[in-house]
Amino acid sequence: MTTRTRIREEHWNPEPGGYRAWRRQTYLGSGDAFWEQSAAALLRWEVKTRSGFRISPQDKVRSGARPQIIVPVGPVSIHEPVEVVDVVEADDVVGFAYRTLPGHPVSGEEAFILRRLGPSVFLEIRSLTAASDRGVWRSVFWLLLGAQKLTRWRYLWALRQRRS
């Protein structure tokens, strides 16, 4: 699979053959301190960990890294192998994209991008999803799509500014 969720707009292909494309942006908060905290948290996988996942190892995001995303489901854990394919750290844009590897319950890519527009901080999430080529995961793809909807909602709230 060629990577299409790269962070830079010119690499995003919203109509990939065979993949369900999804993209949302949400306001998170404002201010320089909030931007700094959010950018650091995003690059430590906190958009995932605050959404109920574990990352192993939970090192800072870096291009080429191949961590396991671990999904606790009751007494068992599902391991989702991924590879980080793009990382951006600029003054007003911070983010990363990863692709799934064989053994992941779905095939696809996901990107998390923080943007600062003036004092406002926004999170954009992009994903491309298709059924895995693995039989057992392929047979429950419709369930995985339902779980993905819930997970995306969690992502959109994970880094939101806390009201004091």
Side-chain angles (χ1 to χ4, degrees):
M1 171 191 345
T2 59
T3 302
R4 288 168 279 212
T5 57
R6 302 284 175 125
I7 294 167
R8 292 164 193 86
E9 193 64 34
E10 63 271 16
H11 293 129
W12 169 246
N13 180 359
E15 298 180 18
Y19 287 85
R20 295 169 182 256
W22 186 87
R23 179 181 189 167
R24 291 291 182 280
Q25 181 172 296
T26 190
Y27 171 81
L28 296 181
S30 66
D32 291 338
F34 180 70
W35 166 256
E36 295 297 328
Q37 293 167 359
S38 298
L42 183 73
L43 294 175
R44 286 189 315 263
W45 293 94
E46 289 185 35
V47 71
K48 298 288 285 186
T49 60
R50 292 181 188 183
S51 298
F53 296 87
R54 293 190 321 261
I55 307 296
S56 180
Q58 192 175 343
D59 298 330
K60 183 179 177 185
V61 173
R62 67 175 174 74
S63 198
R66 290 185 165 208
Q68 290 278 324
I69 297 172
I70 302 163
V71 185
V73 181
V76 299
S77 293
I78 299 168
H79 290 252
E80 300 180 341
V82 300
E83 178 181 23
V84 178
V85 294
D86 198 13
V87 178
V88 170
E89 292 185 70
D91 290 340
D92 295 325
V93 179
V94 171
F96 67 96
Y98 65 79
R99 68 181 180 102
T100 63
L101 295 173
H104 196 288
V106 298
S107 175
E109 299 171 2
E110 203 158 48
F112 301 93
I113 305 139
L114 277 178
R115 295 186 195 283
R116 179 167 52 176
L117 301 170
S120 299
V121 179
F122 296 87
L123 174 65
E124 180 180 344
I125 302 169
R126 301 176 188 167
S127 71
L128 301 172
T129 307
S132 170
D133 59 359
R134 307 274 171 143
V136 69
W137 291 123
R138 192 172 196 74
S139 66
V140 295
F141 183 59
W142 63 276
L143 284 172
L144 297 173
L145 289 176
Q148 188 179 53
K149 285 181 183 180
L150 173 62
T151 299
R152 288 174 177 158
W153 180 83
R154 288 179 176 178
Y155 293 159
L156 291 169
W157 284 88
L159 300 179
R160 240 177 237 266
Q161 192 167 38
R162 308 291 194 266
R163 304 254 186 236
S164 359

